[in-house]
């Protein structure tokens, strides 16, 4: 078992308890089948058939405070979706605990060939802001989960060099939520509705006048006016309804505030999107025993591309949509702009490739030291376009385009390095003590690119743990890591649709 927090970006912090205890610096050690993830060429160091089961308990603690947000007109957001002033400016955006299992098995076929199979969590993230948060118009819920399975074959060229290749099948699921400020859109819809009502009133008034003339002519001729009277009553009822709607629309447009059916914050909605996909990649590794004391290795993991496909749902929750007179009209106006109750949605993402160079040195029979440098091409996540099934009316861009079927994220991440050092000390025959430290660089360039749902920053790992050999067949590893993450600020832009 182990307790840790996330690594940079959306990497899951660790895939092995024994490696975590050295801050993931011990990839060259190849002490158990978890070497399938860190350097599968290390399988050639394992005798017979072995297996390891790991359980990581992640206890993240990510908080935000003193948040402010503004509408496109520059006014500050001070109200919740229900119209109250109970807006949240501070809060915690992570679960108290997340559990992730990892499992590996190795088998020695002969003196040259080893087989391995791993199942692990390479990437994951989960953040959620309260629905009353002042930051709700940004992407305010994001869940990303991946599960990878990796069959591997390793080949021992000679006593010094080993190589391995692995095939990676990765299943990724993602879900997100983002609020939309439909207030200004409602105002536009109501202006159109007001024009339609005015036209309707003119037509009804003309109809009433014609029916009244017909009644007068029929009465003068001594005829039956029952049918005409019924028609007149229906037209007068329609006139009264349209007049009430016209008054309501006029009043709403004259008082476009958060307390009325229109205006910023008065007509909130949100999109809920879920999707999943399988992607495929590969793993290449090499390990070199320089001499009886020193060993180095290299491990490359390829990128994996996903097209996450699923459903998007638009929920209309603001007070405007429950208005007793205009509620149904306002709802239909938003639906007519392309925001369907349910539609197709998809997004393409590419999880990054990485290259790790690592080594170990046996100082004496009791002490080992480890080192690792890992480069990750996080710049794969520079832009993400969420594609909708329906084209939508949106705020016009700089080119005047007011129609779109996509929502764009521009994280503009950079490539990163992680440097880690560790050591182990054989305290007694069954007990080994382990520790490590690492510097983990964040892919976020600066506050202008920091996403509210991935509020990442540089971090320092401090890890410690122990391995205890119960007997020749069974061992237990425990580890604890504490991550010191730098405080961060974010400048995310203004709310609009």
């Amino acid at each position: 078992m182990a307790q840790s927090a996330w690594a940079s970006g959306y990497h899951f912090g660790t895939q092995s308890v024994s490696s975590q205890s050295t801050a993931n610096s011990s990839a060259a050690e190849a002490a158990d089948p978890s070497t399938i993830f860190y350097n599968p060429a290390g399988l050639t160091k394992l005798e017979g058939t072995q297996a390891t089961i790991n359980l990581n308990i992640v206890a993240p603690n990510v908080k935000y405070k003193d948040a402010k947000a503004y509408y496109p007109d520059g006014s500050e957001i001070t109200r919740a979706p229900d119209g109250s002033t109970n807006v949240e400016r501070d809060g915690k955006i992570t679960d108290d605990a997340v559990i992730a299992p990892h499992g590996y098995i190795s088998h020695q076929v002969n003196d040259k060939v080893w087989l391995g199979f791993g199942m692990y969590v390479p990437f994951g993230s989960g953040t959620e802001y309260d629905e009353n948060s002042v930051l709700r118009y940004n992407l305010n819920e994001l869940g990303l989960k991946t599960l990878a399975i990796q069959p591997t074959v390793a080949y021992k060229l000679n006593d010094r060099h080993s190589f391995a290749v692995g095939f990676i099948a990765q299943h990724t699921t993602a879900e997100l939520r983002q609020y939309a400020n439909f207030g200004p859109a409602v105002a536009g819809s109501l202006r159109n509705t007001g024009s339609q009502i005015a036209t309707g009133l003119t037509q009804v008034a003309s109809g009433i006048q014609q029916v009244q003339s017909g009644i007068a002519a029929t009465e003068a001729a001594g005829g039956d006016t029952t049918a005409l009277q019924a028609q007149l009553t229906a037209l007068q009822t329609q006139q009264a309804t349209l007049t009430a709607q016209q008054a309501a629309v006029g009043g709403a447009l004259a008082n476009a505030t958060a307390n009325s059916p229109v205006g910023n914050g008065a007509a909130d909605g949100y999109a809920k999107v879920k999707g999943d996909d399988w992607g495929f990649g590969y793993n290449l590794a090499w390990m070199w025993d320089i001499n009886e004391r020193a060993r180095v290795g290299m491990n490359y993991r390829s990128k994996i591309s996903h097209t996450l496909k699923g459903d998007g749902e638009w929920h209309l929750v603001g007070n405007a949509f429950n208005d007793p007179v205009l509620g149904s009209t306002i709802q239909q106006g938003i639906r007519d702009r392309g925001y369907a109750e349910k539609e197709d949605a998809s997004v393409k993402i590419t999880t990054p490739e990485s290259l790790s160079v690592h080594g170990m040195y046996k100082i004496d029979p009791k002490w080992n030291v480890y080192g690792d440098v890992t480069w990750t091409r996080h710049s794969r996540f520079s832009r993400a376009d969420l594609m909708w099934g329906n084209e939508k009316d949106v705020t016009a861009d700089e080119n005047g385009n007011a129609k779109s079927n996509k929502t764009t994220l521009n994280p503009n991440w950079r490539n990163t390095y992680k440097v880690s050092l560790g050591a182990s000390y054989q305290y007694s025959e069954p007990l080994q003590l382990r520790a490590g430290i690492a510097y983990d660089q964040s892919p976020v360039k600066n506050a202008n690119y920091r996403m509210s749902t991935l509020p990442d920053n540089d971090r320092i790992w401090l890890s410690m743990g122990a391995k205890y050999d119960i007997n020749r067949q069974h061992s237990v590893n425990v580890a604890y890591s504490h991550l010191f993450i730098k405080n961060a600020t974010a400048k995310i832009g203004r709310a609009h649709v």
Side-chain angles (χ1 to χ4, degrees), residues 272-294:
K272 187 79 172 180
V273 182
K274 294 182 179 180
D276 69 315
D277 183 53
W278 279 96
F280 304 95
Y282 60 91
N283 182 204
L284 302 175
W286 163 68
M287 191 167 281
W288 175 29
D289 284 284
I290 301 173
N291 53 44
E292 292 184 353
R293 289 190 171 188

Side-chain angles (χ1 to χ4, degrees), residues 406-422:
K406 66 182 178 182
T407 299
T408 299
L409 302 176
N410 292 293
N412 199 23
W413 279 4
R414 64 184 175 186
N415 301 329
T416 64
Y417 287 91
K418 178 174 72 69
V419 180
S420 55
L421 298 172

